[in-house]
Amino acid sequence: MYLVLARKYRPQRFEDVRGQEHVIRTLKNALRDKKVAHAYLFAGPRGVGKTTVARILSKAVNCEHGISQEPCNECSICREITEGRSVDVAEIDGASHRGIDEVRGLRENAFYPPARTRYKIYIIDEVHMLTKEAFNALLKILEEPPSYLIFIFATTEPHRIPSTILSRCQRFDFRRLTTDEIFTQLYEIKEKEKIEIDDDALKLIAKRADGSLRDAEGMLDQLNTYCGGKITEKDIREVFGIMDEKFYLDVLNAILDRDDKKIAERITELSRRGVDWGEVTRGLIDFFEKLLHVRLGIEEDELLKPKAERLNEDQILYMLNQVISLERRLKQVPYTTALVQVELMKLARYPEITRIEELIAKEKTQRMEKPEEKKEEIREEVKEDTLLSVWERLKERIEKNERPAARNIFSSLHPISYDGRVLRVKITEEKFTMLGMDETFTRKFEEHLRAVCGKEVKMEFVVEGKEFVPLVEHEIVKMIKEELDGEVVH
Ligand SMILES: Nc1ncnc2c1ncn2[C@@H]1O[C@H](COP(=O)(O)OP(=O)(O)OP(=O)(O)O)[C@@H](O)[C@H]1O
Ligand SMILES: [Mg+2]
Ligand SMILES: [Zn+2]
């Protein structure tokens, strides 16, 4: 039987787990002292080892040779757990067992001591999916757990777990793996599997996995099947639709030359090839990040250096910031090609940002030279009163002046419309509840809004999924209208 790489290479000992040193060290120390908690919470992104570590821990506390820092993996108990056959170690998927009845059943079972092992263990994956009633039932067990009972909760969204549960768990935060850590693991696998692939190609996979080792192993698997044992960088780009650096350089040149026509041509060409714009944008993020590093002098690149020198750090930061928000917004609109086009053209209108010190210096000399012309200048600087421009200024102001909590809420908002008096924004239900609980946020946002518009403007919230937004008022359609100065005809 063919075993997928991710399963075949699932670590069976703490020692073989990549990264997560802080988690492993703490767990091993506790095991050495035979200190076992009743509830653990493993929080962290997808595919970084939560379930893997939960299984190793289950074996380490139950191994026939006694509680130890590593399971033996040989005794019948260890083997049963590895193969998922143990009657005393259950893995439950929180997403498909969300309800009160399931937790009640679990509670009844929990009161029978383990049949063969020291501890009865419930590993509940995606535990944040449980309903409120199910959490309450769970809490009752956690308040007075039988001595032999252990829960290991795993979740990618710890903020969705009630604090009453959280406070009864020993929490471990798993982190995304670094590209190097992923690379090392992939390297070992390709050696053992005798897959022909060079280091640059492996690095490309490691990078694309974005911290998830499971995703990286999955990609290697897929490529191996597709290419039949010999994988090149070109195959990877083809299979995953990744652009090469030349494309990004072309786009940057067009931006630097403020050349809309060239941008449009590149986009049309890619659109015909049916590329995945999310992928292209993630590539752009990497590219601008590299450009920033070259500009800061912490990375070397002969090709990029002259480009980086044409921009100052603030301008590169501005561009990087724009492509990051583009990546997020792409997931929300169906007009992806149009959105990428608008955003790249906006980049080509990058502002002539001058550093604050230079501004002050300039102002000083101006004031000395011709003091009476100063007023004129200010009057000319009337700000644009459009959705896009108001939104950009508001965003900038809030990012600069607000504390993380307010910034966090603000970053999840999306502008819908603006008519000079009311700014309508889209908001998720969750964030809307947060606003409802503490109205200082809304007040703050409106204060900033007054400052950037120079007049009283109200903010109106449209809760996602609760209200229909007419297409002509849709963010992207408005943006295109504004950018191209056109009208929607039907
Ligand atoms: N830290 C790691 N060290 C070694 N291999 C890992 C690691 N993390 C993940 N893997 C590989 O990825 C596979 C899946 O990992 P695991 O199931 O532990 O992820 P997870 O964090 O539970 O993800 P999810 O939240 O999606 O359930 C493992 O079988 C293993 O091959
Ligand atoms: Mg898991
Ligand atoms: Zn054992």
Side-chain angles (χ1 to χ4, degrees):
M1 190 188 99
Y2 178 71
L3 207 53
V4 293
L5 295 178
R7 272 187 61 196
K8 187 163 169 188
Y9 291 93
R10 188 193 278 284
Q12 302 300 338
R13 297 159 55 83
F14 286 124
E15 199 185 74
D16 299 331
V17 175
R18 302 259 170 213
Q20 325 301 4
E21 294 84 4
H22 54 301
V23 174
I24 305 293
R25 196 181 321 124
T26 317
L27 283 176
K28 279 177 110 174
N29 286 345
L31 286 166
R32 182 195 57 208
D33 302 339
K34 317 272 185 256
K35 272 194 206 134
V36 178
H38 281 295
Y40 296 90
L41 177 71
F42 290 176
R46 298 173 342 99
V48 296
K50 300 184 297 295
T51 306
T52 304
V53 173
R55 289 199 188 157
I56 303 175
L57 178 63
S58 306
K59 289 188 280 190
V61 297
N62 276 335
C63 177
E64 280 175 18
H65 301 288
I67 300 182
S68 61
Q69 291 194 301
E70 290 283 5
C72 80
N73 283 317
E74 305 271 315
C75 70
S76 61
I77 287 184
C78 279
R79 287 217 309 270
E80 278 173 17
I81 298 176
T82 304
E83 289 156 21
R85 300 187 281 113
S86 169
V87 288
D88 298 316
V89 176
E91 262 184 55
I92 299 164
D93 173 19
S96 49
H97 298 79
R98 314 180 53 211
I100 173 84
D101 290 340
E102 273 107 356
V103 176
R104 277 209 192 110
L106 186 153
R107 219 165 105 195
E108 274 161 31
N109 270 321
F111 284 104
Y112 298 106
R116 296 188 357 98
T117 57
R118 231 168 270 119
Y119 291 97
K120 186 164 202 159
I121 301 179
Y122 291 100
I123 301 173
I124 307 188
D125 247 322
E126 299 303 323
V127 67
H128 61 267
M129 298 294 285
L130 294 190
T131 61
K132 209 168 121 216
E133 293 75 27
F135 271 127
N136 282 335
L138 199 57
L139 191 60
K140 293 227 175 74
I141 325 179
L142 283 179
E143 277 166 347
E144 264 176 280
S147 59
Y148 51 76
L149 195 63
I150 299 176
F151 282 104
I152 307 176
F153 303 124
T155 182
T156 47
E157 300 185 39
H159 55 275
R160 287 175 61 185
I161 298 173
S163 54
T164 44
I165 301 272
L166 282 180
S167 66
R168 286 180 170 78
C169 295
Q170 198 175 343
R171 174 168 174 167
F172 291 90
D173 285 290
F174 285 61
R175 60 168 176 78
R176 235 176 255 288
L177 294 163
T178 64
T179 308
D180 279 347
E181 284 163 348
I182 296 180
F183 174 83
T184 316
Q185 175 75 356
L186 292 180
Y187 191 90
E188 234 166 65
I189 295 178
K190 74 114 188 181
E191 291 282 291
K192 286 190 184 133
E193 297 288 317
K194 302 200 177 7
I195 300 170
E196 249 185 88
I197 176 168
D198 67 32
D199 287 1
D200 280 342
L202 270 188
K203 251 181 227 147
L204 192 58
I205 301 179
K207 193 141 200 260
R208 195 180 177 278
D210 195 23
S212 164
L213 196 41
R214 191 209 347 241
D215 286 358
E217 290 168 355
M219 278 187 253
L220 186 60
D221 230 338
Q222 190 184 342
L223 286 161
N224 193 27
T225 315
Y226 176 82
C227 308
K230 187 172 188 307
I231 305 166
T232 64
E233 242 183 283
K234 192 166 157 282
D235 296 324
I236 302 176
R237 294 193 189 282
E238 210 171 282
V239 171
F240 298 116
I242 306 172
M243 299 294 121
D244 54 18
E245 185 144 83
K246 184 174 168 308
F247 164 77
Y248 294 110
L249 265 173
D250 264 11
V251 170
L252 179 64
N253 280 334
I255 291 172
L256 288 174
D257 299 341
R258 303 193 191 271
D259 186 345
D260 286 350
K261 184 159 169 268
K262 201 157 140 207
I263 292 175
E265 280 167 5
R266 302 301 280 146
I267 303 259
T268 315
E269 187 187 316
L270 289 192
S271 164
R272 265 196 222 112
R273 271 167 53 189
V275 293
D276 171 355
W277 288 116
E279 191 64 60
V280 173
T281 311
R282 278 189 288 281
L284 265 177
I285 295 175
D286 286 347
F287 182 79
F288 279 112
E289 210 182 348
K290 188 163 171 194
L291 193 66
L292 181 66
H293 287 175
V294 171
R295 171 77 222 197
L296 292 171
I298 49 178
E299 228 176 293
E300 302 246 330
D301 191 303
E302 283 314 307
L303 231 51
L304 281 186
K305 197 150 178 268
K307 312 277 169 215
E309 276 163 3
R310 282 180 63 182
L311 296 161
N312 65 32
E313 282 152 32
D314 291 349
Q315 285 168 323
I316 302 180
L317 270 180
Y318 165 83
M319 293 185 184
L320 181 56
N321 196 23
Q322 295 292 103
V323 288
I324 290 173
S325 68
L326 169 62
E327 202 260 340
R328 200 176 49 220
R329 282 164 57 204
L330 275 174
K331 295 177 190 139
Q332 296 156 341
V333 298
Y335 327 93
T336 48
T337 309
L339 181 60
V340 173
Q341 178 146 318
V342 170
E343 284 300 316
L344 290 187
M345 288 187 181
K346 259 171 75 187
L347 281 190
R349 288 160 178 69
Y350 62 90
E352 297 292 347
I353 306 172
T354 328
R355 308 223 102 192
I356 204 92
E357 305 89 68
E358 288 170 32
L359 267 183
I360 294 171
K362 201 167 132 202
E363 197 175 309
K364 265 190 193 152
T365 48
Q366 270 179 356
R367 212 181 294 154
M368 281 189 293
E369 280 165 13
K370 13 183 171 158
E372 69 293 340
E373 274 180 24
K374 194 77 186 81
K375 268 187 205 147
E376 295 273 278
E377 242 172 57
I378 291 177
R379 217 178 305 134
E380 266 172 27
E381 209 193 336
V382 172
K383 297 272 166 56
E384 238 186 310
D385 202 26
T386 61
L387 171 66
L388 204 65
S389 137
V390 166
W391 186 254
E392 288 294 327
R393 278 181 281 143
L394 181 63
K395 190 160 88 184
E396 202 184 312
R397 200 178 150 90
I398 286 179
E399 268 161 19
K400 220 183 279 164
N401 298 304
E402 277 305 334
R403 299 162 64 87
R407 287 208 310 264
N408 176 279
I409 294 188
F410 186 81
S411 70
S412 72
L413 302 179
H414 287 280
I416 304 173
S417 68
Y418 171 69
D419 61 5
R421 284 171 298 119
V422 180
L423 173 69
R424 285 170 75 201
V425 294
K426 197 166 73 183
I427 185 168
T428 62
E429 204 163 354
E430 182 201 353
K431 291 279 161 32
F432 191 62
T433 322
M434 285 165 75
L435 279 185
M437 285 190 296
D438 183 352
E439 51 185 46
T440 53
F441 286 119
T442 316
R443 223 178 304 132
K444 271 186 194 154
F445 292 160
E446 284 183 346
E447 263 165 38
H448 289 303
L449 197 52
R450 190 188 316 130
V452 300
C453 299
K455 60 186 170 189
E456 209 63 50
V457 176
K458 276 206 77 59
M459 242 174 142
E460 217 175 83
F461 298 96
V462 179
V463 181
E464 219 161 68
K466 291 270 153 106
E467 200 173 296
F468 172 71
V469 181
L471 187 62
V472 278
E473 284 198 5
H474 206 287
E475 184 195 352
I476 173 76
V477 176
K478 283 217 141 183
M479 270 172 40
I480 296 172
K481 260 168 66 185
E482 273 163 22
E483 289 290 340
L484 305 178
D485 206 15
E487 271 303 309
V488 176
V489 279
H490 61 96

